[in-house]
Amino acid sequence: MTNSLVPPAGPQRTLALAQLANSVGDGAYYVTSALYFTHVVGLAPARVGLGLTLAWAVGSLVGVPLGRLADRRGARGTAVLLALATGLAVASFLVVRGFVPFVIAACAYASAQSGLAAARQALLAGLVSAGERTGLLAHLQSTLNAGLAVGAGLGGLALRAGTRSAYLGVFALDAVSFLVCAGLLVRLPSVRGVQVRKADGGLGVLRDRPYVVVTLLNTVLLLRMPLLSLGLPLWIAEQTDAPTWLVSALFVLNTGAVMVFQVRTARGITGLASATRAVRRSGWIMLAACAVFALSAGASPWVAVGALVVGAVLQAAAEMGQSAGSWQLSFDLAPADRVGEYQGFFGTGVTVARTMGPLVLTSLLLEWGTPGWLLLGGATLVASYAMGPAARRAAGAGREADAEGEAGEVIRQPAPAS
């Protein structure tokens, strides 16, 4: 794996460019969508929150069947279609004028996004060797952060203008970004789908209990996702004497750190053993970050600033280690012929964390204070240590399934190329 921020030429670089294209649009969308739906569309904030919660709940449910579709019919064609569907869903927001149409459009957007994420992972698995996947995902994560930063800047210009036309321009930009993404993905080599005949009762990945346990543990580790966007801003404003501008500074710090160091962090992760070590190490670092964050309460302004900056550095290091380790586990523990389906399920952890994270973090940090920080760090550490045995059990279950397949219980046949 190279330390370069730019992936090698070929499919890897094309995947990164596709990631960059739609992340720029998404960055602009993220910083403007709430005000667009409330100020332009005229929805109450509570209704916007309810609609988005429903949408992502639907998205988490359809991720698995859409990932399965990518496995069966071909990852490239499925990814291209879902990128186009996402762009169409974003464009539909331009004409939404009521709550019910908003919910329908949001469900379409969340469903297409969830399916696109799973299909892209299946496409990556089909184009990149197992030893290079974690490295490429590190590149894609750096690219994602860079695109989001650029998009957030463009969204900031729209917020400054504050006009309906500016908001509409942002949504049009996001829709076009997915069209560009689709255009880049269609240039990639096709990945042949695989048909699997196996009596699984329609439950698919849910029958793989060890993998389900790994996904649940990873979901616990992902509860820190709303920390920078919600937990720390509220903590800084209500529990410390630090200046509020620090919220933005910590966000920039995290984004920059991931852009620069994510690839390097993932360099030594090449298999299950190194992945579980990285996750376990990230648990200790996250516990230290939580303890340092807690020290900012009741301190003088500049002491609080110092504690919060140190905590943010530790949190970024924990995030990069946990991300790299979980990427390796999610691919290595998935059957080769069902990567899209398994990635669709593994990705539901992100949706659950985004849905439950705000409630968990506000309850722990704002109501419990220092004990809440320590409980958050402790839960992360316990989940990170439990990941090792869970991954070993999942790997053993996978070998047993492979043995059954060789005995003839699983029949694999190539499907037409996408």
Side-chain angles (χ1 to χ4, degrees):
M1 180 187 307
T2 177
N3 284 333
S4 171
L5 295 179
V6 179
Q12 296 193 36
R13 188 168 296 176
T14 302
L15 285 167
L17 289 173
Q19 178 79 287
L20 179 65
N22 73 255
S23 63
V24 170
D26 277 347
Y29 168 85
Y30 291 151
V31 299
T32 59
S33 58
L35 292 180
Y36 171 78
F37 293 132
T38 54
H39 292 179
V40 177
V41 179
L43 299 176
R47 285 200 150 196
V48 173
L50 174 61
L52 293 177
T53 299
L54 292 173
W56 285 111
V58 172
S60 67
L61 293 176
V62 303
V64 171
L66 288 176
R68 185 180 299 160
L69 178 66
D71 292 331
R72 305 298 182 261
R73 304 307 305 168
R76 187 191 65 176
T78 305
V80 169
L81 289 176
L82 288 171
L84 294 173
T86 307
L88 182 61
V90 173
S92 70
F93 285 129
L94 297 172
V95 296
V96 164
R97 291 295 179 269
F99 178 67
V100 173
F102 163 69
V103 172
I104 294 173
C107 286
Y109 171 77
S111 298
Q113 279 273 46
S114 297
L116 176 59
R120 276 173 137 168
Q121 299 292 67
L123 181 59
L124 183 151
L127 296 175
V128 180
S129 66
E132 296 179 310
R133 289 171 189 167
T134 297
L136 176 57
L137 285 167
H139 279 297
L140 295 181
Q141 185 70 9
S142 298
T143 302
L144 171 66
N145 276 31
L148 291 176
V150 173
L154 296 175
L157 296 177
L159 291 176
R160 183 177 179 84
T163 64
R164 183 175 183 274
S165 297
Y167 285 116
L168 294 178
V170 165
F171 277 74
L173 170 67
D174 195 22
V176 171
S177 75
F178 281 97
L179 298 182
V180 175
C181 173
L184 289 166
L185 292 176
V186 80
R187 296 169 53 190
L188 291 167
S190 64
V191 175
R192 295 181 66 85
V194 178
Q195 294 177 345
V196 180
R197 300 181 203 167
K198 185 175 181 180
D200 60 7
L203 295 177
V205 64
L206 295 179
R207 289 175 59 88
D208 190 343
R209 293 180 182 177
Y211 194 88
V212 170
V213 171
V214 170
T215 301
L216 291 175
L217 291 173
N218 190 63
T219 301
V220 174
L221 299 177
L222 290 174
L223 288 176
R224 47 86 183 157
M225 288 186 66
L227 196 58
L228 282 174
S229 60
L230 180 69
L232 276 175
L234 294 177
W235 173 261
I236 290 171
E238 298 186 17
Q239 304 292 329
T240 79
D241 292 325
T244 54
W245 55 259
L246 189 63
V247 172
S248 177
L250 295 182
F251 185 87
V252 172
L253 172 64
N254 179 273
T255 302
V258 173
M259 286 173 55
V260 175
F261 296 110
Q262 181 67 80
V263 175
R264 183 176 301 177
T265 301
R267 181 175 52 186
I269 300 175
T270 56
L272 291 179
S274 55
T276 54
R277 284 197 300 271
V279 172
R280 187 165 58 244
R281 185 166 54 248
S282 74
W284 281 109
I285 298 174
M286 190 64 195
L287 175 61
C290 290
V292 173
F293 280 137
L295 294 176
S296 62
S300 65
W302 291 110
V303 171
V305 168
L308 291 165
V309 170
V310 172
V313 171
L314 292 171
Q315 190 266 334
E319 173 187 335
M320 289 185 286
Q322 184 268 326
S323 295
S326 67
W327 294 331
Q328 187 77 35
L329 293 173
S330 70
F331 276 104
D332 283 3
L333 298 176
D337 59 339
R338 301 169 71 183
V339 172
E341 177 184 347
Y342 272 60
Q343 289 296 320
F345 180 72
F346 197 80
T348 61
V350 174
T351 304
V352 173
R354 285 175 172 169
T355 303
M356 295 182 57
L359 177 62
V360 172
L361 292 182
T362 52
S363 298
L364 286 178
L365 307 185
L366 299 185
E367 296 182 16
W368 290 25
T370 297
W373 276 112
L374 298 179
L375 183 58
L376 176 63
T380 301
L381 182 62
V382 170
S384 69
Y385 264 78
M387 188 66 84
R392 287 191 292 272
R393 183 184 176 196
R399 285 192 292 270
E400 292 176 5
D402 289 341
E404 292 178 355
E406 293 172 0
E409 294 186 15
V410 180
I411 302 175
R412 298 181 177 88
Q413 295 179 344
S418 59

